[in-house]
Amino acid sequence: MMTERSGGVTKRLLEKLLNDQQRRAERERKLPFAEKLRILDRLQQERRSQETEQG
Amino acid sequence: MAIADVLKVLHDLKQDGAVRDYMIFGSVAAMVHTRPFYTRDVDIGVTVASDQEYLTVFGRLAALGRVDGHAIVINDTPVELFPVDISPIIRDAIDHAIRKRVEGVMVKVAPPEHLLLEALRVNRSQDKGRVFMLDDVVDRDKLRALFGRLDDDRTLRRRYEALTGKAP
């Protein structure tokens, strides 16, 4: 059972996580297009490797 | 970089006159305006005057890779090539395209407002997420102007309102 104190910690942690996520999203949004394409290249290579492993 | 290689191929085709004009559309274009995310292929709209011209462009690109279904795979990257005239929104987008430089090559990219409208027009379940993603980054005045110009029967506006719970 969550006490008021533990509920407060959880709420603060959640707010921090959400704020961190928002900041990361904003940072990624502002990346140069070329950098975004490099990230996409990497994601596509990873997906292809996974598909190859799964046969 | 595989996708940049595809863009360089298209740039070269345009330089030698094989392609009149082209533009990045779909998920990769959305990524210009939002966070990077996984997508399987690159959608490219090309300006062509006839079906024959489209087939010629398709053939030129196919010669540089391999055909896999509707796509042309170049350096492991599937490219979906389509004429910009398949949609008045895409046709309008190439006239208002944003220019981006990638590895020394200048490419045209569809604006976020056009991408949002096209997502509403196609209206697949996977496009609904894209509407929300793009709604965060569009210019609201440009979006409203686009609804005014390209949504005669207000179908897209109704879809937008149903999805987002607000007017454009």
Side-chain angles (χ1 to χ4, degrees), chain B residues 114-139:
Chain B
H114 288 78
L115 292 168
L116 190 154
L117 241 72
E118 182 64 12
L120 290 170
R121 186 190 74 82
V122 179
N123 205 29
R124 300 166 304 181
S125 55
Q126 63 257 47
D127 295 305
K128 291 175 178 163
R130 186 174 300 177
V131 170
F132 285 107
M133 200 166 56
L134 291 163
D135 198 48
D136 281 343
V137 298
V138 294
D139 178 300

PDB file of all heavy atoms in Angstrom, chain B residues 114-139:
ATOM      1  N   HIS B 114       1.013  19.863 -45.623  1.00  0.00           N
ATOM      2  CA  HIS B 114       0.577  18.982 -46.706  1.00  0.00           C
ATOM      3  C   HIS B 114       0.594  17.523 -46.250  1.00  0.00           C
ATOM      4  O   HIS B 114      -0.314  16.746 -46.600  1.00  0.00           O
ATOM      5  CB  HIS B 114       1.484  19.141 -47.931  1.00  0.00           C
ATOM      6  CG  HIS B 114       1.288  20.434 -48.651  1.00  0.00           C
ATOM      7  ND1 HIS B 114       1.823  21.623 -48.206  1.00  0.00           N
ATOM      8  CD2 HIS B 114       0.596  20.728 -49.789  1.00  0.00           C
ATOM      9  CE1 HIS B 114       1.484  22.593 -49.041  1.00  0.00           C
ATOM     10  NE2 HIS B 114       0.737  22.086 -50.005  1.00  0.00           N
ATOM     11  N   LEU B 115       1.604  17.154 -45.488  1.00  0.00           N
ATOM     12  CA  LEU B 115       1.685  15.778 -44.994  1.00  0.00           C
ATOM     13  C   LEU B 115       0.495  15.459 -44.092  1.00  0.00           C
ATOM     14  O   LEU B 115      -0.075  14.364 -44.160  1.00  0.00           O
ATOM     15  CB  LEU B 115       2.998  15.574 -44.217  1.00  0.00           C
ATOM     16  CG  LEU B 115       4.271  15.626 -45.060  1.00  0.00           C
ATOM     17  CD1 LEU B 115       5.497  15.716 -44.156  1.00  0.00           C
ATOM     18  CD2 LEU B 115       4.380  14.408 -45.977  1.00  0.00           C
ATOM     19  N   LEU B 116       0.118  16.425 -43.282  1.00  0.00           N
ATOM     20  CA  LEU B 116      -1.031  16.214 -42.389  1.00  0.00           C
ATOM     21  C   LEU B 116      -2.314  16.036 -43.198  1.00  0.00           C
ATOM     22  O   LEU B 116      -3.097  15.116 -42.949  1.00  0.00           O
ATOM     23  CB  LEU B 116      -1.158  17.391 -41.410  1.00  0.00           C
ATOM     24  CG  LEU B 116      -2.139  17.234 -40.256  1.00  0.00           C
ATOM     25  CD1 LEU B 116      -1.718  18.106 -39.071  1.00  0.00           C
ATOM     26  CD2 LEU B 116      -3.562  17.591 -40.650  1.00  0.00           C
ATOM     27  N   LEU B 117      -2.508  16.900 -44.179  1.00  0.00           N
ATOM     28  CA  LEU B 117      -3.719  16.808 -45.002  1.00  0.00           C
ATOM     29  C   LEU B 117      -3.763  15.495 -45.766  1.00  0.00           C
ATOM     30  O   LEU B 117      -4.820  14.872 -45.894  1.00  0.00           O
ATOM     31  CB  LEU B 117      -3.791  17.985 -45.976  1.00  0.00           C
ATOM     32  CG  LEU B 117      -5.018  18.882 -45.776  1.00  0.00           C
ATOM     33  CD1 LEU B 117      -4.869  19.686 -44.511  1.00  0.00           C
ATOM     34  CD2 LEU B 117      -5.259  19.773 -46.962  1.00  0.00           C
ATOM     35  N   GLU B 118      -2.626  15.074 -46.297  1.00  0.00           N
ATOM     36  CA  GLU B 118      -2.594  13.828 -47.057  1.00  0.00           C
ATOM     37  C   GLU B 118      -2.872  12.641 -46.139  1.00  0.00           C
ATOM     38  O   GLU B 118      -3.523  11.679 -46.542  1.00  0.00           O
ATOM     39  CB  GLU B 118      -1.243  13.668 -47.764  1.00  0.00           C
ATOM     40  CG  GLU B 118      -1.107  12.419 -48.629  1.00  0.00           C
ATOM     41  CD  GLU B 118      -2.060  12.375 -49.823  1.00  0.00           C
ATOM     42  OE1 GLU B 118      -2.687  13.406 -50.148  1.00  0.00           O
ATOM     43  OE2 GLU B 118      -2.193  11.290 -50.418  1.00  0.00           O
ATOM     44  N   ALA B 119      -2.373  12.698 -44.907  1.00  0.00           N
ATOM     45  CA  ALA B 119      -2.660  11.637 -43.941  1.00  0.00           C
ATOM     46  C   ALA B 119      -4.171  11.564 -43.674  1.00  0.00           C
ATOM     47  O   ALA B 119      -4.738  10.470 -43.558  1.00  0.00           O
ATOM     48  CB  ALA B 119      -1.899  11.876 -42.630  1.00  0.00           C
ATOM     49  N   LEU B 120      -4.820  12.714 -43.622  1.00  0.00           N
ATOM     50  CA  LEU B 120      -6.285  12.735 -43.435  1.00  0.00           C
ATOM     51  C   LEU B 120      -6.990  12.176 -44.671  1.00  0.00           C
ATOM     52  O   LEU B 120      -7.993  11.474 -44.566  1.00  0.00           O
ATOM     53  CB  LEU B 120      -6.769  14.160 -43.167  1.00  0.00           C
ATOM     54  CG  LEU B 120      -6.394  14.779 -41.817  1.00  0.00           C
ATOM     55  CD1 LEU B 120      -6.725  16.263 -41.799  1.00  0.00           C
ATOM     56  CD2 LEU B 120      -7.113  14.063 -40.672  1.00  0.00           C
ATOM     57  N   ARG B 121      -6.465  12.490 -45.843  1.00  0.00           N
ATOM     58  CA  ARG B 121      -7.101  12.030 -47.085  1.00  0.00           C
ATOM     59  C   ARG B 121      -7.004  10.509 -47.205  1.00  0.00           C
ATOM     60  O   ARG B 121      -7.962   9.830 -47.488  1.00  0.00           O
ATOM     61  CB  ARG B 121      -6.446  12.686 -48.309  1.00  0.00           C
ATOM     62  CG  ARG B 121      -7.141  12.370 -49.629  1.00  0.00           C
ATOM     63  CD  ARG B 121      -6.319  12.840 -50.834  1.00  0.00           C
ATOM     64  NE  ARG B 121      -5.166  11.995 -51.090  1.00  0.00           N
ATOM     65  CZ  ARG B 121      -5.202  10.850 -51.754  1.00  0.00           C
ATOM     66  NH1 ARG B 121      -6.329  10.385 -52.233  1.00  0.00           N
ATOM     67  NH2 ARG B 121      -4.101  10.151 -51.938  1.00  0.00           N
ATOM     68  N   VAL B 122      -5.818   9.957 -46.954  1.00  0.00           N
ATOM     69  CA  VAL B 122      -5.619   8.515 -47.075  1.00  0.00           C
ATOM     70  C   VAL B 122      -6.371   7.781 -45.963  1.00  0.00           C
ATOM     71  O   VAL B 122      -6.967   6.731 -46.195  1.00  0.00           O
ATOM     72  CB  VAL B 122      -4.109   8.188 -47.051  1.00  0.00           C
ATOM     73  CG1 VAL B 122      -3.885   6.693 -47.156  1.00  0.00           C
ATOM     74  CG2 VAL B 122      -3.405   8.892 -48.196  1.00  0.00           C
ATOM     75  N   ASN B 123      -6.292   8.330 -44.763  1.00  0.00           N
ATOM     76  CA  ASN B 123      -7.166   7.921 -43.649  1.00  0.00           C
ATOM     77  C   ASN B 123      -7.026   6.446 -43.243  1.00  0.00           C
ATOM     78  O   ASN B 123      -7.997   5.811 -42.866  1.00  0.00           O
ATOM     79  CB  ASN B 123      -8.640   8.202 -44.017  1.00  0.00           C
ATOM     80  CG  ASN B 123      -9.515   8.395 -42.794  1.00  0.00           C
ATOM     81  OD1 ASN B 123      -9.058   8.847 -41.750  1.00  0.00           O
ATOM     82  ND2 ASN B 123     -10.783   8.056 -42.925  1.00  0.00           N
ATOM     83  N   ARG B 124      -5.806   5.902 -43.330  1.00  0.00           N
ATOM     84  CA  ARG B 124      -5.594   4.562 -42.819  1.00  0.00           C
ATOM     85  C   ARG B 124      -5.354   4.661 -41.315  1.00  0.00           C
ATOM     86  O   ARG B 124      -5.039   5.734 -40.797  1.00  0.00           O
ATOM     87  CB  ARG B 124      -4.356   3.916 -43.465  1.00  0.00           C
ATOM     88  CG  ARG B 124      -4.404   3.768 -44.973  1.00  0.00           C
ATOM     89  CD  ARG B 124      -3.035   3.438 -45.537  1.00  0.00           C
ATOM     90  NE  ARG B 124      -2.064   4.438 -45.137  1.00  0.00           N
ATOM     91  CZ  ARG B 124      -0.779   4.406 -45.507  1.00  0.00           C
ATOM     92  NH1 ARG B 124      -0.327   3.406 -46.242  1.00  0.00           N
ATOM     93  NH2 ARG B 124       0.059   5.348 -45.117  1.00  0.00           N
ATOM     94  N   SER B 125      -5.465   3.548 -40.622  1.00  0.00           N
ATOM     95  CA  SER B 125      -5.277   3.596 -39.167  1.00  0.00           C
ATOM     96  C   SER B 125      -3.868   4.093 -38.817  1.00  0.00           C
ATOM     97  O   SER B 125      -3.688   4.845 -37.863  1.00  0.00           O
ATOM     98  CB  SER B 125      -5.542   2.234 -38.541  1.00  0.00           C
ATOM     99  OG  SER B 125      -4.744   1.252 -39.146  1.00  0.00           O
ATOM    100  N   GLN B 126      -2.868   3.694 -39.622  1.00  0.00           N
ATOM    101  CA  GLN B 126      -1.498   4.121 -39.302  1.00  0.00           C
ATOM    102  C   GLN B 126      -1.253   5.598 -39.573  1.00  0.00           C
ATOM    103  O   GLN B 126      -0.253   6.164 -39.122  1.00  0.00           O
ATOM    104  CB  GLN B 126      -0.444   3.283 -40.059  1.00  0.00           C
ATOM    105  CG  GLN B 126      -0.488   3.387 -41.562  1.00  0.00           C
ATOM    106  CD  GLN B 126      -1.126   2.167 -42.191  1.00  0.00           C
ATOM    107  OE1 GLN B 126      -2.190   1.720 -41.753  1.00  0.00           O
ATOM    108  NE2 GLN B 126      -0.512   1.628 -43.218  1.00  0.00           N
ATOM    109  N   ASP B 127      -2.168   6.243 -40.297  1.00  0.00           N
ATOM    110  CA  ASP B 127      -1.987   7.670 -40.583  1.00  0.00           C
ATOM    111  C   ASP B 127      -2.489   8.546 -39.443  1.00  0.00           C
ATOM    112  O   ASP B 127      -2.133   9.720 -39.370  1.00  0.00           O
ATOM    113  CB  ASP B 127      -2.738   8.041 -41.871  1.00  0.00           C
ATOM    114  CG  ASP B 127      -2.142   7.350 -43.075  1.00  0.00           C
ATOM    115  OD1 ASP B 127      -0.932   7.506 -43.285  1.00  0.00           O
ATOM    116  OD2 ASP B 127      -2.888   6.659 -43.785  1.00  0.00           O
ATOM    117  N   LYS B 128      -3.318   7.981 -38.597  1.00  0.00           N
ATOM    118  CA  LYS B 128      -3.898   8.792 -37.530  1.00  0.00           C
ATOM    119  C   LYS B 128      -2.821   9.254 -36.550  1.00  0.00           C
ATOM    120  O   LYS B 128      -2.826  10.395 -36.104  1.00  0.00           O
ATOM    121  CB  LYS B 128      -5.012   8.018 -36.821  1.00  0.00           C
ATOM    122  CG  LYS B 128      -6.204   7.853 -37.736  1.00  0.00           C
ATOM    123  CD  LYS B 128      -7.316   6.997 -37.174  1.00  0.00           C
ATOM    124  CE  LYS B 128      -8.439   6.984 -38.208  1.00  0.00           C
ATOM    125  NZ  LYS B 128      -9.400   5.919 -38.019  1.00  0.00           N
ATOM    126  N   GLY B 129      -1.900   8.378 -36.242  1.00  0.00           N
ATOM    127  CA  GLY B 129      -0.784   8.765 -35.378  1.00  0.00           C
ATOM    128  C   GLY B 129       0.036   9.875 -36.002  1.00  0.00           C
ATOM    129  O   GLY B 129       0.500  10.798 -35.332  1.00  0.00           O
ATOM    130  N   ARG B 130       0.199   9.811 -37.308  1.00  0.00           N
ATOM    131  CA  ARG B 130       0.978  10.824 -38.015  1.00  0.00           C
ATOM    132  C   ARG B 130       0.284  12.189 -37.937  1.00  0.00           C
ATOM    133  O   ARG B 130       0.942  13.222 -37.839  1.00  0.00           O
ATOM    134  CB  ARG B 130       1.182  10.426 -39.476  1.00  0.00           C
ATOM    135  CG  ARG B 130       2.110  11.383 -40.220  1.00  0.00           C
ATOM    136  CD  ARG B 130       2.409  10.907 -41.607  1.00  0.00           C
ATOM    137  NE  ARG B 130       3.056   9.616 -41.620  1.00  0.00           N
ATOM    138  CZ  ARG B 130       3.357   8.965 -42.728  1.00  0.00           C
ATOM    139  NH1 ARG B 130       3.093   9.484 -43.896  1.00  0.00           N
ATOM    140  NH2 ARG B 130       3.940   7.793 -42.663  1.00  0.00           N
ATOM    141  N   VAL B 131      -1.058  12.194 -37.969  1.00  0.00           N
ATOM    142  CA  VAL B 131      -1.793  13.461 -37.857  1.00  0.00           C
ATOM    143  C   VAL B 131      -1.423  14.141 -36.535  1.00  0.00           C
ATOM    144  O   VAL B 131      -1.129  15.335 -36.506  1.00  0.00           O
ATOM    145  CB  VAL B 131      -3.313  13.230 -37.948  1.00  0.00           C
ATOM    146  CG1 VAL B 131      -4.072  14.497 -37.579  1.00  0.00           C
ATOM    147  CG2 VAL B 131      -3.695  12.785 -39.355  1.00  0.00           C
ATOM    148  N   PHE B 132      -1.442  13.368 -35.458  1.00  0.00           N
ATOM    149  CA  PHE B 132      -1.118  13.950 -34.153  1.00  0.00           C
ATOM    150  C   PHE B 132       0.332  14.435 -34.105  1.00  0.00           C
ATOM    151  O   PHE B 132       0.626  15.501 -33.578  1.00  0.00           O
ATOM    152  CB  PHE B 132      -1.349  12.928 -33.037  1.00  0.00           C
ATOM    153  CG  PHE B 132      -2.799  12.710 -32.721  1.00  0.00           C
ATOM    154  CD1 PHE B 132      -3.440  11.544 -33.092  1.00  0.00           C
ATOM    155  CD2 PHE B 132      -3.529  13.688 -32.071  1.00  0.00           C
ATOM    156  CE1 PHE B 132      -4.787  11.350 -32.812  1.00  0.00           C
ATOM    157  CE2 PHE B 132      -4.877  13.499 -31.782  1.00  0.00           C
ATOM    158  CZ  PHE B 132      -5.509  12.330 -32.162  1.00  0.00           C
ATOM    159  N   MET B 133       1.229  13.645 -34.665  1.00  0.00           N
ATOM    160  CA  MET B 133       2.646  13.982 -34.655  1.00  0.00           C
ATOM    161  C   MET B 133       2.879  15.288 -35.409  1.00  0.00           C
ATOM    162  O   MET B 133       3.613  16.170 -34.965  1.00  0.00           O
ATOM    163  CB  MET B 133       3.390  12.835 -35.348  1.00  0.00           C
ATOM    164  CG  MET B 133       4.841  12.750 -35.047  1.00  0.00           C
ATOM    165  SD  MET B 133       5.543  11.167 -35.569  1.00  0.00           S
ATOM    166  CE  MET B 133       5.142  11.105 -37.287  1.00  0.00           C
ATOM    167  N   LEU B 134       2.257  15.420 -36.562  1.00  0.00           N
ATOM    168  CA  LEU B 134       2.450  16.612 -37.387  1.00  0.00           C
ATOM    169  C   LEU B 134       1.683  17.807 -36.834  1.00  0.00           C
ATOM    170  O   LEU B 134       2.109  18.952 -36.998  1.00  0.00           O
ATOM    171  CB  LEU B 134       2.011  16.323 -38.824  1.00  0.00           C
ATOM    172  CG  LEU B 134       2.909  15.342 -39.569  1.00  0.00           C
ATOM    173  CD1 LEU B 134       2.202  14.798 -40.804  1.00  0.00           C
ATOM    174  CD2 LEU B 134       4.213  16.019 -39.988  1.00  0.00           C
ATOM    175  N   ASP B 135       0.583  17.539 -36.171  1.00  0.00           N
ATOM    176  CA  ASP B 135      -0.235  18.636 -35.631  1.00  0.00           C
ATOM    177  C   ASP B 135       0.563  19.476 -34.640  1.00  0.00           C
ATOM    178  O   ASP B 135       0.281  20.653 -34.442  1.00  0.00           O
ATOM    179  CB  ASP B 135      -1.491  18.071 -34.967  1.00  0.00           C
ATOM    180  CG  ASP B 135      -2.565  19.130 -34.791  1.00  0.00           C
ATOM    181  OD1 ASP B 135      -2.845  19.850 -35.762  1.00  0.00           O
ATOM    182  OD2 ASP B 135      -3.122  19.240 -33.691  1.00  0.00           O
ATOM    183  N   ASP B 136       1.564  18.848 -34.011  1.00  0.00           N
ATOM    184  CA  ASP B 136       2.406  19.576 -33.047  1.00  0.00           C
ATOM    185  C   ASP B 136       3.358  20.556 -33.715  1.00  0.00           C
ATOM    186  O   ASP B 136       3.883  21.452 -33.061  1.00  0.00           O
ATOM    187  CB  ASP B 136       3.265  18.580 -32.234  1.00  0.00           C
ATOM    188  CG  ASP B 136       2.463  17.932 -31.128  1.00  0.00           C
ATOM    189  OD1 ASP B 136       1.394  18.460 -30.783  1.00  0.00           O
ATOM    190  OD2 ASP B 136       2.916  16.883 -30.618  1.00  0.00           O
ATOM    191  N   VAL B 137       3.621  20.383 -35.009  1.00  0.00           N
ATOM    192  CA  VAL B 137       4.676  21.181 -35.645  1.00  0.00           C
ATOM    193  C   VAL B 137       4.191  22.033 -36.817  1.00  0.00           C
ATOM    194  O   VAL B 137       4.960  22.780 -37.400  1.00  0.00           O
ATOM    195  CB  VAL B 137       5.846  20.279 -36.126  1.00  0.00           C
ATOM    196  CG1 VAL B 137       6.496  19.564 -34.954  1.00  0.00           C
ATOM    197  CG2 VAL B 137       5.395  19.283 -37.171  1.00  0.00           C
ATOM    198  N   VAL B 138       2.917  21.914 -37.186  1.00  0.00           N
ATOM    199  CA  VAL B 138       2.440  22.689 -38.338  1.00  0.00           C
ATOM    200  C   VAL B 138       2.305  24.171 -37.997  1.00  0.00           C
ATOM    201  O   VAL B 138       2.161  24.548 -36.829  1.00  0.00           O
ATOM    202  CB  VAL B 138       1.070  22.169 -38.859  1.00  0.00           C
ATOM    203  CG1 VAL B 138       1.195  20.779 -39.431  1.00  0.00           C
ATOM    204  CG2 VAL B 138       0.014  22.229 -37.765  1.00  0.00           C
ATOM    205  N   ASP B 139       2.340  24.983 -39.054  1.00  0.00           N
ATOM    206  CA  ASP B 139       1.989  26.405 -38.934  1.00  0.00           C
ATOM    207  C   ASP B 139       0.466  26.461 -39.069  1.00  0.00           C
ATOM    208  O   ASP B 139      -0.085  26.060 -40.105  1.00  0.00           O
ATOM    209  CB  ASP B 139       2.676  27.184 -40.065  1.00  0.00           C
ATOM    210  CG  ASP B 139       2.326  28.653 -40.044  1.00  0.00           C
ATOM    211  OD1 ASP B 139       1.126  28.983 -40.157  1.00  0.00           O
ATOM    212  OD2 ASP B 139       3.234  29.477 -39.935  1.00  0.00           O
TER     213      ASP B 139
END
